[in-house]
Amino acid sequence: MDTQDETDFYSFLNEYLHNWKQLNSDYMRAVISEDLIAREIRQGKAEDYGYEDSVEGWTQTFEYFKDQEMEWILTPQSIIRLKSNERMAIIRATLTIDGKLVETSNLFFQAFVLDSASHEWKL
């Protein structure tokens, strides 16, 4: 295992979570791979989507919260090395609204790949 790759990923993940907390949809648009294939399971129903739907989802979410007194609480639960250039981050996400902790949280299982051409991590 290359220690530099691990250090780079953790630095990237900190930047990713920081931009998530800052409601930075431009950053999310840049970090999401155009080849994204994702699945969301909500109330027992699965929905598949790609890049455009993901960007739109982040943009709508961030727009909804931008004028509210809220804060994301993002807690990495586990980082799993899938391949030398792939990591899965399991992130627990909840938030506070008007200083009160929301009772529910969500788990995000997000796979990131180190792009060989740009040397950037992509979702």
Side-chain angles (χ1 to χ4, degrees):
M1 181 181 329
D2 186 340
T3 306
Q4 184 61 43
D5 286 348
E6 293 307 308
T7 302
D8 290 347
F9 180 75
Y10 281 97
S11 295
F12 160 76
L13 186 61
N14 286 334
E15 177 182 351
Y16 176 79
L17 296 176
H18 171 78
N19 279 282
W20 182 343
K21 288 178 181 181
Q22 297 300 311
L23 309 178
N24 188 342
S25 58
D26 290 333
Y27 176 86
M28 293 307 232
R29 180 178 291 109
V31 80
I32 297 170
S33 169
E34 292 186 13
D35 298 327
L36 176 79
I37 300 171
R39 171 168 280 178
E40 179 175 345
I41 300 173
R42 188 182 299 236
Q43 298 177 342
K45 304 244 184 218
E47 182 177 336
D48 295 333
Y49 58 93
Y51 173 81
E52 291 296 331
D53 289 332
S54 182
V55 168
E56 182 64 25
W58 285 109
T59 301
Q60 287 177 2
T61 299
F62 290 169
E63 188 66 27
Y64 176 80
F65 285 121
K66 80 174 188 178
D67 293 327
Q68 296 186 39
E69 187 181 320
M70 64 78 62
E71 179 182 356
W72 285 103
I73 300 171
L74 304 171
T75 310
Q77 301 295 296
S78 185
I79 307 298
I80 302 166
R81 181 185 170 115
L82 302 173
K83 294 181 183 175
S84 63
N85 66 333
E86 293 180 13
R87 305 291 181 277
M88 177 178 284
I90 302 171
I91 302 163
R92 179 175 175 249
T94 191
L95 47 96
T96 62
I97 297 177
D98 296 326
K100 296 178 183 163
L101 183 64
V102 173
E103 291 184 17
T104 60
S105 61
N106 294 291
L107 284 179
F108 287 77
F109 293 77
Q110 297 188 314
F112 296 93
V113 176
L114 184 61
D115 182 270
S116 58
S118 67
H119 300 291
E120 296 176 342
W121 290 97
K122 295 286 185 175
L123 176 65

